[in-house]
Amino acid sequence: MHSQTLRRQRRRPLAVDTSSDSPVTAADELVREAHELMETGIAPEGVAESFPARLEEELRRLTEAEAAAAAALATTRDQHLRLAADYENFRKRSAAEKDSLRSATQADTVEALLGVVDSFEQARASLLRDADEAARRVVEAYDAVHRQLLASFKRLGVEAVPGEGEPFDPEVHEAIMREPAAEGVPDGTVVQEFRKGFRLGSRLLRPGMVKVAFVEDA
């Protein structure tokens, strides 16, 4: 008798909460129907037959929506990671270009001053050929300025390439003369430096012009 009452009971309109701006979804309706059934013990007409299928459909829809949201989140995360990587590469490239420009500017400035170093050394050598006291005082003044200039170069990262007494290195030396090696002097030793070579970090500003000793074949 009770089952007949359940079958014949007409479905009553569901109370929809209008206090929220959110639209009522199929899941909300299913939940309300389930609550109504538990509270009244009476199944609205057609609910018993349609409820399982509707619930299954809603679960399928929610599963698909969750998968779509997860895919969208993964896409957004991937885009964010790519943007972050692009920015990091841009930052590193900009820093490298800035360092390269700074090094090139320093190198150009130092190269312009290398002629001054040559002039000091040539003047010093000329004055040393004079033996009078006045010449020696001038040499001392030249040496003080020369040391200051080389100290400034060193602060900029400029250093002289190996010179007299060091092995000849084609990477940093330019041999303009050769002479037979004196006793005890190894083959390929730099025995005289005509013009000092300099480098800035790994960049060779100019090679040293040198004379190289060679051992004659017996």
Side-chain angles (χ1 to χ4, degrees):
M1 189 69 178
H2 180 64
S3 60
Q4 292 177 353
T5 302
L6 289 176
R7 287 195 298 272
R8 292 175 183 174
Q9 176 69 36
R10 286 189 174 276
R11 184 175 180 181
R12 295 177 296 176
L14 294 176
V16 178
D17 183 7
T18 59
S19 62
S20 174
D21 294 333
S22 301
V24 177
T25 66
D28 296 329
E29 188 175 350
L30 289 169
V31 170
R32 289 189 180 92
E33 290 178 0
H35 285 169
E36 181 179 312
L37 179 60
M38 288 187 295
E39 290 174 359
T40 65
I42 301 174
E45 185 179 353
V47 169
E49 292 81 5
S50 66
F51 192 88
R54 290 166 57 209
L55 179 60
E56 182 177 350
E57 175 62 22
E58 182 61 15
L59 288 175
R60 183 192 63 77
R61 187 189 69 79
L62 291 175
T63 300
E64 291 177 354
E66 181 183 11
L73 178 62
T75 299
T76 302
R77 182 183 296 112
D78 183 62
Q79 290 174 343
H80 171 74
L81 292 175
R82 288 184 181 181
L83 182 61
D86 289 343
Y87 173 75
E88 182 63 17
N89 290 336
F90 169 76
R91 188 188 65 80
K92 290 180 179 179
R93 186 168 59 252
S94 296
E97 290 174 354
K98 184 178 179 181
D99 290 342
S100 177
L101 179 61
R102 183 188 300 113
S103 297
T105 302
Q106 286 181 345
D108 291 343
T109 302
V110 171
E111 282 186 279
L113 293 173
L114 291 182
V116 178
V117 175
D118 295 338
S119 296
F120 268 106
E121 293 182 349
Q122 291 168 7
R124 182 179 185 278
S126 176
L127 288 169
L128 284 176
R129 288 194 290 268
D130 298 327
D132 58 30
E133 185 64 26
R136 285 194 293 271
R137 286 197 295 270
V138 174
V139 168
E140 291 175 0
Y142 267 67
D143 283 345
V145 177
H146 184 258
R147 284 194 299 269
Q148 289 178 358
L149 184 58
L150 293 182
S152 297
F153 280 2
K154 187 174 182 179
R155 285 193 294 271
L156 291 173
V158 179
E159 59 181 6
V161 302
E164 189 172 334
E166 298 295 329
F168 175 78
D169 182 355
E171 294 295 325
V172 296
H173 294 139
E174 180 181 347
I176 60 173
M177 290 185 66
R178 298 176 71 226
E179 70 176 19
E183 185 177 354
V185 176
D187 184 56
T189 300
V190 174
V191 293
Q192 186 176 353
E193 191 175 42
F194 299 102
R195 189 190 69 178
K196 192 177 293 295
F198 291 93
R199 60 186 169 195
L200 175 60
S202 59
R203 175 176 175 176
L204 182 67
L205 299 177
R206 74 178 189 188
M209 288 186 176
V210 298
K211 180 193 292 186
V212 183
F214 67 94
V215 176
E216 295 178 309
D217 296 333

